[in-house]
């Protein structure tokens, strides 16, 4: 066996760096021992990672290109270990003097008989060779080493560790993630493309790129009877998660931070190009991810339904209060009264201890804001601001273009052009809008009171009262202005 057979292809660059890089680095050698149920690859991975991070150099002038190894096939006690014997004789002859020996873990040196380890300590000590495991612990004649020697006799203690390294290596090699469940778009184990599902993904991606909202795509799929493998309809969150998944462009990510070629790649980021079939090209993948991240609001963008959501917060835990209902005490006839309330909700991360009558709260804020508008100095010269309507006009352009694309009147490139152009204008207008002092959405007290546009009413209230806390008082839902907390 040659060392090329031991080092996985994915680590060849690392190996070259360890051998040919800066020659002033502390020289080391590796010792690998393959036992039943184990492999060289994960030992190599761990030792290479350790050597790189500690600034070591692999001394290729000794051993087999700097490596000593044993391929234990038998589980019997008196196994021949030519690699280990060669290592020991090189240590004794002084050939490895001043070098480090790196092993993945202590039990590579000796698992069964502690006498082997004792002998090892004596010889390495005499020959000025130090030994480290891949976590950086020095293996020497001390208590820890003794305890580990005892522990490592129980195979199970190290299995988890080994499996973790194996998973990392699979990721670096770009192998498909191991999974017991079938991923949408693929057959089990990413072996082949499930064409029906892949078609769904490709269509959805196209529509997102064309400017459609995820919710409208979901609605359309529901109408067409396109459902998840479990029979449930696709929701916005499903589609968003699927379309962002790099696996569809055969890009491999890892669930933890991982070190590749001396660089730490944070969890969830691309580690390697995968070897399984792709449903999107990389460009297609990055394109849709960019659009989805820019348009987070698409998923939820709807007219506000309730006057005070986003304004009221729980004064106990600062969670935004939501609109909902709550049942009161039982009447004599067994029925319960349903109260509509603003409340702090546990599912939204709140404490759940505050709920107040919605109608009373809304009436109170309408009156309060009405009075506040009346107190304002009369606007002699009406502020004319066309920015808002210009934004709406540009948005309309996009909508028209999307419709035209759907009707096959324009192609995707034209749509993209129109969209980009209009979006740029909208962004500029929004910036201008922010810089200018804004008139109230409803700047006349009477029209505020009469308005049927909850969104505008709410925006007007918010200009006076951006955030208002609501305190917990007793069990009921009755509202009193004393319960409100207005920030300074
Ligand atoms: Zn709360």
């Amino acid at each position: 066996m040659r060392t090329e057979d031991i080092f996985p292809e994915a680590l060849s660059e690392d190996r070259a760096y360890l051998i040919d890089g800066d020659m002033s680095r502390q020289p080391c050698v590796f010792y690998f021992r393959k036992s039943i149920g184990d492999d060289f690859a994960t030992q190599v991975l761990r030792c290479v990672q350790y050597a790189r991070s500690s600034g070591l150099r692999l001394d290729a002038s000794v051993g087999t290109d700097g490596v000593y190894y044993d391929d234990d096939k038998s589980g019997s006690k008196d196994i021949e270990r030519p690699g280990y014997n060669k290592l020991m004789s090189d240590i004794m002859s002084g050939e490895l003097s001043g070098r480090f020996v790196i092993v993945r873990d202590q039990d590579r040196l000796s698992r069964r008989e502690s006498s082997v380890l004792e002998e090892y300590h004596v010889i390495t000590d005499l020959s000025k060779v130090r030994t480290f495991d891949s976590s950086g612990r020095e293996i020497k004649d001390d208590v820890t080493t003794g305890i580990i020697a005892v522990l490592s006799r129980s195979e199970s203690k190290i299995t988890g560790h080994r499996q973790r390294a194996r998973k990392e290596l699979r990721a670096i090699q770009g192998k498909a993630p191991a999974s017991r469940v079938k991923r949408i778009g693929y057959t089990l184990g990413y072996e082949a493309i499930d064409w029906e599902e892949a078609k769904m993904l490709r269509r959805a991606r196209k529509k997102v790129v064309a400017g459609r909202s995820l919710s409208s795509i979901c609605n359309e799929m529901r109408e067409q009877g396109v459902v998840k493998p479990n029979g449930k309809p696709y929701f916005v969150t499903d589609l968003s998660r699927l379309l962002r998944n790099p696996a569809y462009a055969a890009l491999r990510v890892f669930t933890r931070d991982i070190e590749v070629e001396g660089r730490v790649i944070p969890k969830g980021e691309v580690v390697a190009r995968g070897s399984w079939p792709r449903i999107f090209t990389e460009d297609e993948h990055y394109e849709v991810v960019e659009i989805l991240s820019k348009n987070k609001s698409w998923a939820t963008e709807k007219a506000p339904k309730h006057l005070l959501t986003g304004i009221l917060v729980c004064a106990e835990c600062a969670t935004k209060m939501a609109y909902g209902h709550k049942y009161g005490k039982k009447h004599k006839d067994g029925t319960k009264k349903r109260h509509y309330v603003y409340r702090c909700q546990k599912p939204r991360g709140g404490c759940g201890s505050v709920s107040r009558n919605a109608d009373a709260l809304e009436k109170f804020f309408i009156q309060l804001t009405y009075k506040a508008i009346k107190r304002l100095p009369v606007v002699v010269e009406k502020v004319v601001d066309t920015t808002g309507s210009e934004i709406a006009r540009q948005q309309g352009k996009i909508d028209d273009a999307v419709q035209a694309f759907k009707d096959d009147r324009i192609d995707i490139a034209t749509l993209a052009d129109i969209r980009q152009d209009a979006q740029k204008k909208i962004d500029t207008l929004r910036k201008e809008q922010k810089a200018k002092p804004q008139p109230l959405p409803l700047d006349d007290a009477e029209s505020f009171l009469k308005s049927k546009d909850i969104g505008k009413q709410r925006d007007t209230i918010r200009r006076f009262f951006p955030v208002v806390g609501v305190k917990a008082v007793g069990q009921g839902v009755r509202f009193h202005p004393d319960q409100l907390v207005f920030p300074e």
Side-chain angles (χ1 to χ4, degrees):
M1 193 187 282
R2 299 165 311 144
T3 39
E4 281 77 16
D5 302 324
I6 293 178
F7 278 85
E9 181 65 35
L11 296 178
S12 55
E13 223 173 292
D14 281 288
R15 177 169 173 258
Y17 172 82
L18 286 177
I19 292 175
D20 305 324
D22 177 8
M23 295 308 275
S24 70
R25 293 174 296 179
Q26 162 70 41
C28 72
V29 299
F30 292 159
Y31 174 66
F32 306 130
R33 179 168 67 84
K34 182 171 157 184
S35 48
I36 291 160
D38 198 1
D39 54 35
F40 281 128
T42 63
Q43 296 183 44
V44 175
L45 175 69
R46 282 281 178 251
C47 293
V48 162
Q49 284 177 339
Y50 171 67
R52 269 198 89 127
S53 64
S54 314
L56 303 180
R57 172 172 71 82
L58 186 63
D59 186 352
S61 69
V62 288
T64 311
D65 298 335
V67 173
Y68 298 82
Y69 59 90
D70 282 305
D71 192 354
D72 292 3
K73 285 195 188 82
S74 132
S76 81
K77 262 191 179 173
D78 39 20
I79 341 149
E80 271 297 298
R81 290 171 65 181
Y84 181 81
N85 293 340
K86 174 87 170 76
L87 177 71
M88 293 317 281
S89 82
D90 283 358
I91 290 174
M92 278 188 259
S93 70
E95 217 176 313
L96 295 185
S97 175
R99 285 164 183 79
F100 290 176
V101 176
I102 310 300
V103 292
R104 182 186 62 194
D105 44 49
Q106 182 180 312
D107 74 335
R108 291 307 92 199
L109 290 171
S110 128
R111 182 118 46 98
R112 290 181 192 86
E113 329 90 273
S114 50
S115 59
V116 173
L117 212 53
E118 265 166 46
E119 179 201 46
Y120 183 83
H121 292 319
V122 174
I123 294 167
T124 50
D125 227 32
L126 280 172
S127 310
K128 310 252 175 305
V129 170
R130 295 169 70 188
T131 310
F132 293 87
D133 73 13
S134 61
S135 73
R137 189 181 69 85
E138 180 162 11
I139 298 169
K140 53 185 180 186
D141 195 5
D142 65 1
V143 180
T144 316
T145 302
I147 292 172
I148 287 180
V150 175
L151 282 181
S152 59
R153 276 169 219 146
S154 123
E155 183 89 12
S156 66
K157 301 247 192 250
I158 46 176
T159 315
H161 180 72
R162 274 190 199 158
Q163 262 158 7
R164 214 160 71 198
R166 207 167 295 168
K167 276 186 190 163
E168 274 183 32
L169 189 71
R170 282 179 59 87
I172 294 173
Q173 291 174 325
K175 287 190 184 156
S179 166
R180 267 180 227 120
V181 285
K182 186 188 110 61
R183 293 293 162 202
I184 287 172
Y186 290 102
T187 61
L188 193 64
Y190 292 81
E191 281 188 355
I193 289 174
D194 177 321
W195 286 105
E196 270 312 306
E197 289 171 356
K199 210 161 67 189
M200 178 280 290
L201 289 166
R202 293 198 58 84
R203 279 186 183 154
R205 196 204 74 88
K206 247 187 174 166
K207 285 170 188 164
V208 169
V209 171
R212 292 272 306 278
S213 73
L214 288 175
S215 62
S216 80
I217 300 170
C218 284
N219 287 339
E220 199 174 85
M221 284 163 71
R222 207 159 307 163
E223 279 163 24
Q224 292 165 350
V226 178
V227 291
K228 290 190 270 190
N230 65 9
K232 288 183 183 155
Y234 282 99
F235 292 108
V236 167
T237 47
D238 299 319
L239 219 48
S240 171
R241 186 173 37 82
L242 288 171
L243 292 177
R244 285 162 193 270
N245 191 344
Y248 294 123
L251 293 171
R252 184 64 149 91
V253 296
F254 199 63
T255 46
R256 284 186 303 273
D257 293 357
I258 189 171
E259 195 185 314
V260 182
E261 281 160 28
R263 209 158 55 85
V264 175
I265 298 183
K267 73 171 186 184
E269 291 198 5
V270 174
V271 169
R273 288 208 165 86
S275 47
W276 62 95
R278 58 172 66 161
I279 292 174
F280 301 152
T281 66
E282 284 179 36
D283 286 347
E284 284 170 342
H285 164 69
Y286 289 119
E287 181 184 36
V288 74
V289 166
E290 199 190 325
I291 291 172
L292 288 175
S293 342
K294 259 193 212 150
N295 297 284
K296 274 186 190 123
S297 57
W298 282 7
T300 51
E301 201 175 56
K302 281 223 169 99
K305 284 188 206 118
H306 303 288
L307 197 62
L308 301 175
T309 47
I311 295 172
L312 297 182
V313 299
C314 170
E316 310 298 319
C317 70
T319 305
K320 281 191 176 159
M321 294 175 86
Y323 187 90
H325 65 259
K326 191 178 169 178
Y327 288 102
K329 282 192 191 128
K330 238 183 221 173
H331 293 297
K332 274 177 196 156
D333 61 0
T335 59
K336 287 180 187 169
K337 187 174 163 56
R338 189 197 271 235
H339 297 289
Y340 288 92
V341 294
Y342 284 96
R343 63 179 169 192
C344 175
Q345 275 188 313
K346 280 186 185 161
R348 295 187 181 205
C351 65
S353 67
V354 181
S355 43
R356 296 288 119 187
N357 186 290
D359 200 37
L361 271 163
E362 290 181 356
K363 280 198 177 116
F364 176 80
F365 273 92
I366 292 272
Q367 281 307 314
L368 201 63
T369 308
Y370 172 74
K371 284 180 204 153
I373 300 172
K374 280 209 128 174
R375 265 206 308 272
L376 292 176
V378 177
V379 185
V380 183
E381 214 179 327
K382 263 225 172 265
V383 182
V384 183
D385 181 32
T386 54
T387 321
S389 56
E390 182 56 24
I391 289 177
R393 206 176 68 82
Q394 293 295 338
Q395 190 58 53
K397 255 194 192 171
I398 296 179
D399 296 343
D400 288 348
V402 169
Q403 191 54 51
F405 171 70
K406 277 196 271 179
D407 300 344
D408 272 343
R409 282 182 285 126
I410 58 172
D411 65 4
I412 184 84
T414 316
L415 171 60
D417 274 353
I418 295 174
R419 166 168 212 88
Q420 226 165 28
D421 184 52
Q423 196 59 53
K424 222 185 255 167
K425 281 183 186 146
I426 290 174
D427 292 345
T428 322
L429 288 165
R430 289 238 163 94
K431 259 182 222 151
E432 281 173 21
Q433 211 174 27
K434 265 192 193 152
K436 274 190 224 168
Q438 286 300 298
L440 285 175
L442 295 163
D443 65 354
D444 166 84
E446 302 308 322
S447 57
F448 167 75
L449 211 53
K450 277 184 248 148
S451 174
K452 296 264 180 290
D453 188 333
I454 290 178
K456 274 191 179 170
Q457 277 185 321
R458 185 169 71 162
D459 289 345
T460 307
I461 296 173
R462 211 205 287 264
R463 290 290 292 279
F464 292 96
F465 314 106
V467 182
V468 182
V470 184
K471 285 191 277 190
V473 184
Q475 283 292 305
V477 298
R478 200 167 294 156
F479 166 70
H480 188 278
D482 285 352
Q483 296 155 356
L484 298 178
V485 185
F486 291 92
E488 295 298 302

